[in-house]
């Protein structure tokens, strides 16, 4: 069964992100075609990136990095729940993404955003980042407006039509998450047999 991590992309006291992630988790677990788990960045307490070697080398020195890597490695696909901060995603989510490399590779990702314009600018930036990490990002996204999907910008009251987008988004995510498993297994088998991995130039 495909394992999906729903990542809460904000750690701010009073954040809206947690309610959004719990709503997605609730809708997702009504399906029986995958397992879904919330991943709360607050639980990992990652500092600003403090690894001496580039993440692509996969030689993590710090216990917090190894714990984060083990969690991210355990999923086939992700739903990033992101706020929009200054027309981008949050610094805390970008930092958490930057910590790792191989753990993200050849997985699938979907986005649920929120902000005054639905958080869509945050997702556009995330899509660029995903490309660098060999993550396949699905087209359908869920964009919640702070003005119409929240009461007083604080209490989540999502409009009914978003449920359809959540279904379509998860359908796409599971299809790609499943398809990419084959690629991951082939690469893993190559590594185990000692064949050289392609060089990373970027
Ligand atoms: C530092 C900061 C910058 C923000 N910039 C934007 C922005 O550029 N566009 C927008 O629509 N909302 C912006 N907002 C509003 C947030 O999207 C909104 O407060 C949201 O609830 C933040 O997510 P969180 O509550 O999960 O932290 C900003 C909020 C903060 C704290």
């Amino acid at each position: 069964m495909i394992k999906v991590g729903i990542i809460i992309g904000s750690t701010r006291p009073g954040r809206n992100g947690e309610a959004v992630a719990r709503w997605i988790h609730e809708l997702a677990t009504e399906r029986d075609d995958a397992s879904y788990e919330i991943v709360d960045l607050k639980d990992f307490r990652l500092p600003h990136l403090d690894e001496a070697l580039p993440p692509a080398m996969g030689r993590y020195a710090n216990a917090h990095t190894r714990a984060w890597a083990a969690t991210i490695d355990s999923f086939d696909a992700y739903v990033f729940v992101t706020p929009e901060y200054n027309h981008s995603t949050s610094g805390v989510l970008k930092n958490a993404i930057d910590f790792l490399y191989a753990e993200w590779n050849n997985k699938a990702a979907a986005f649920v955003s929120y902000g005054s314009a639905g958080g869509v600018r945050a997702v556009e930036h995330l899509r660029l980042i995903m490309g660098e990490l060999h993550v396949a990002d699905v087209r359908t996204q869920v964009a919640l407006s702070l003005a119409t999907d929240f009461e007083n910008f604080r209490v989540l009251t999502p409009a009914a039509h978003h449920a359809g987008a959540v279904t379509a988004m998860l359908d796409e995510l599971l299809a790609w998450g499943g398809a990419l498993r084959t690629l991951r297994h082939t690469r893993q088998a190559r590594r185990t047999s000692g064949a050289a991995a392609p060089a990373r130039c970027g």
Side-chain angles (χ1 to χ4, degrees):
M1 193 179 254
I2 299 280
K3 227 182 132 194
V4 179
I6 301 171
I7 301 175
I8 309 179
S10 84
T11 53
R12 205 175 57 83
R15 60 189 174 165
N16 283 323
E18 186 171 346
V20 175
R22 295 205 181 284
W23 169 65
I24 292 293
H25 185 256
E26 209 176 288
L27 291 177
T29 49
E30 285 170 7
R31 308 162 60 110
D32 56 6
D33 47 3
S35 75
Y36 299 91
E37 201 178 296
I38 290 185
V39 178
D40 192 344
L41 294 182
K42 256 181 137 172
D43 295 336
F44 292 88
R45 303 199 164 276
L46 292 169
H48 285 143
L49 180 58
D50 62 349
E51 290 286 339
L53 296 175
M57 293 179 73
R59 288 163 54 193
Y60 304 133
N62 298 312
H64 53 254
T65 313
R66 288 197 289 268
W68 175 235
T71 297
I72 291 307
D73 200 37
S74 71
F75 296 106
D76 300 293
Y78 312 94
V79 176
F80 288 98
V81 174
T82 181
E84 182 171 305
Y85 289 169
N86 296 317
H87 287 205
S88 187
T89 191
S90 64
V92 75
L93 178 57
K94 175 64 164 62
N95 183 58
I97 291 171
D98 289 346
F99 257 96
L100 308 178
Y101 182 70
E103 294 77 7
W104 299 115
N105 291 177
N106 302 310
K107 309 270 183 83
F111 308 99
V112 177
S113 58
Y114 49 99
S116 54
V120 294
R121 293 164 294 212
V123 173
E124 289 302 296
H125 280 177
L126 278 168
R127 288 187 188 281
L128 288 174
I129 296 162
M130 294 295 112
E132 180 60 12
L133 292 169
H134 298 264
V135 174
D137 49 315
V138 303
R139 178 175 185 270
T140 301
Q141 66 191 69
V142 178
L144 302 169
S145 160
L146 283 176
T148 57
D149 294 307
F150 291 82
E151 256 174 47
N152 299 322
F153 306 96
R154 274 295 293 121
V155 180
L156 179 65
T157 52
H161 69 87
H162 290 301
V166 173
T167 301
M169 177 188 79
L170 293 177
D171 286 348
E172 292 171 18
L173 185 71
L174 298 191
W176 282 13
L180 285 166
R181 261 184 168 172
T182 315
L183 182 58
R184 289 202 301 282
H185 290 165
T186 309
R187 295 228 156 157
Q188 185 61 43
R190 232 190 258 150
R191 266 198 298 273
T192 314
S193 74
R200 180 173 191 262
C201 327

